[in-house]
Amino acid sequence: MFKGKTLARALCLAAMSLAAHAQNVGSFRDAGKSAVNYTNPVASSTGDCAKLGQQVVSVEGTRMTVLASEVVPAAQGVPDFCRIVAMLDPEVLIEVALPMRWNGRLYMRGNGGYAGERIDAPNRVALRDEALKRGFVAAQTNTGHDAVAQPLGTFAQNNLARLVDYSHRAVHLTAQASKDLAAAFYGRKPARSYFDGCSTGGRQGLMSAQRYPADFDGIAAGAPVLNFTGTMYDYVSYAPLVSKAGFTSAQLSEIGRAIVAKCDAADGLQDGVISDPRQCRFNPRTDLQGLSEAQITALETVHADMQHKGKSVFPAWPWGSEAPDTNGISGWAEWFVSIPPPPPPPGARLASVGQALPPGETRQSAYAQTFLRYFADQPASRPDADWRTFNLDEGYRATSFMSQLLDARNPDLGAFKARGGKMITYHGWADPALNPMMTIGYYEEAGRATAKLDDSYRVFMAPGMQHCGNGNAPNVFDAVTAVIDWVEAGRAPASLVAVQQRPDGSERSRPLCPYPQAAQYVGGDADKAASFACR
């Protein structure tokens, strides 16, 4: 057990890990193919960077205090820009980067985990700079707390304001502040505004479309934790069984390979990728050898609907998230089981960035623990709650204040659609962090609530892809350019082309199809997207 400063340090490390930004690394890769050539500058700065804090002092009645304003000179391909760091009351830290030559658009990137990222974190800066290179005003927020000072969900203890900011208010106000600063700096507000995020960022994107349909014209919302509360309770429902099962890294990789071997060819092509795991008929009792009863039971529980008082309340995990990546590491490492992955190579751009976790905790259990303690019973806190002993029969809340505040499950996208908004959601079928069936369920419900939904919202499932990227399958694609073309050129995405660079240097590509379509092999080189059709 941790004690004193050791526990505090471990929680801080976990906070930095779990608040790390999660986002597909393919944003802007297809900019050169855009139908609207959105990188062209259309305006130059007319304002004084140093005086923006005097011109924009409040946003929708909320005080904004500029903490720093500086002109950053051009370097390493990044153009010169005006950098504004400001605080929106009570504690929402924002950064808005305004290039001297502007493409007329706003790009805001989302957060990961329990957010609270440092705005100068290397991966945050890298994403900002990629947007600046294309001429965007680039915005971000920490959502109102610092993940090092307030690890995981501790920021919400006895602080409803921070919780509301994390849920949706911080993203909304940051978008409005960015538009106001752009108006002061260029003499006009952005012609178009875009949001790009995955995981928590995906939830933020959906939440924006649902609560603030005028904030963004286009949204790329990847792997959204849209049923936040249900996800946390689901983690709790099987975490004790998985923890006691004692899976080794080698076992998990072998389990993953066995699942792929059993279900790979169901789509008519044996290529190491399960196209639709819902068609996978896998039985761990008969299809696996050498597992203990505890291990078999854990697998069966994960891959069955979560039950509460005889009713299914959360969908079963599809088979396949156990599959190893190109390094041979199971997708369950760190997420389901406390097995750290190997460090990435120097300079690698990652879909999600992780650091150390407290010993004995997985990412799922760490998320669930902090939810039980500081979120589940708001406004009360339960600092002694423990996922290992939590009574789910008594403690589960199907509907609650927290679900209304945090979940992005409102299926009515009518207001977003009416003003011409376009949104793309992508989700990996092998995601070990967030159950992809959440996305399928939401899309189908939204289709019943919103007429002609495909005119404004499409979902793209990525076979074999893990959380926001990675996995041994094509997993890098550009949803941002696709949504820009949809908004500005009326070119609805018929597919997204995903690519994978294999360790041996070879490449394979595959179309991701708008759900419920799936890529079907039609002949030719199976490593080429052109050999597949969406049907």
Side-chain angles (χ1 to χ4, degrees), residues 389-412:
T389 57
F390 185 76
N391 188 326
L392 199 58
D393 285 339
E394 296 180 1
Y396 173 75
R397 307 281 188 269
T399 57
S400 65
F401 169 72
M402 284 309 302
S403 64
Q404 295 178 50
L405 181 62
L406 280 171
D407 294 351
R409 290 191 288 166
N410 182 356
D412 185 358

Side-chain angles (χ1 to χ4, degrees), residues 445-471:
E445 189 175 357
R448 292 187 288 270
T450 308
K452 296 182 178 179
L453 181 66
D454 280 2
D455 290 346
S456 61
Y457 181 41
R458 297 188 179 188
V459 165
F460 295 82
M461 303 304 293
M465 188 176 83
Q466 296 177 351
H467 189 49
C468 299
N470 302 327

Side-chain angles (χ1 to χ4, degrees), residues 254-273:
E254 190 59 34
I255 290 168
R257 293 187 186 98
I259 295 169
V260 172
K262 177 72 180 288
C263 301
D264 175 11
D267 60 355
L269 177 67
Q270 194 160 358
D271 58 351
V273 178

Side-chain angles (χ1 to χ4, degrees), residues 257-332:
R257 293 187 186 98
I259 295 169
V260 172
K262 177 72 180 288
C263 301
D264 175 11
D267 60 355
L269 177 67
Q270 194 160 358
D271 58 351
V273 178
I274 302 174
S275 291
D276 186 346
R278 293 174 301 177
Q279 308 305 317
C280 181
R281 302 293 180 258
F282 192 84
N283 185 338
R285 292 190 177 274
T286 57
D287 294 325
L288 295 172
Q289 304 295 322
L291 297 185
S292 68
E293 180 63 25
Q295 291 171 331
I296 292 173
T297 299
L299 288 168
E300 290 176 332
T301 303
V302 169
H303 293 289
D305 288 356
M306 175 187 166
Q307 302 288 319
H308 181 251
K309 296 184 177 179
K311 295 182 178 180
S312 295
V313 295
F314 199 82
W317 283 81
W319 291 100
S321 58
E322 299 90 342
D325 60 16
T326 54
N327 295 314
I329 305 300
S330 168
W332 275 30

Side-chain angles (χ1 to χ4, degrees), residues 32 36 74 133 169 193 200 210 265 275 278 280 356-357 395 403 407 427-428 433 491 496 500 508 513 518 534:
V36 296
K133 290 177 183 177
R169 180 176 176 269
S193 298
T200 285
Q210 294 164 14
S275 291
R278 293 174 301 177
C280 181
L357 288 170
S403 64
D407 294 351
H427 207 141
R491 191 166 74 182
L496 302 177
Q500 177 193 14
R508 65 171 164 171
C513 302
C534 290

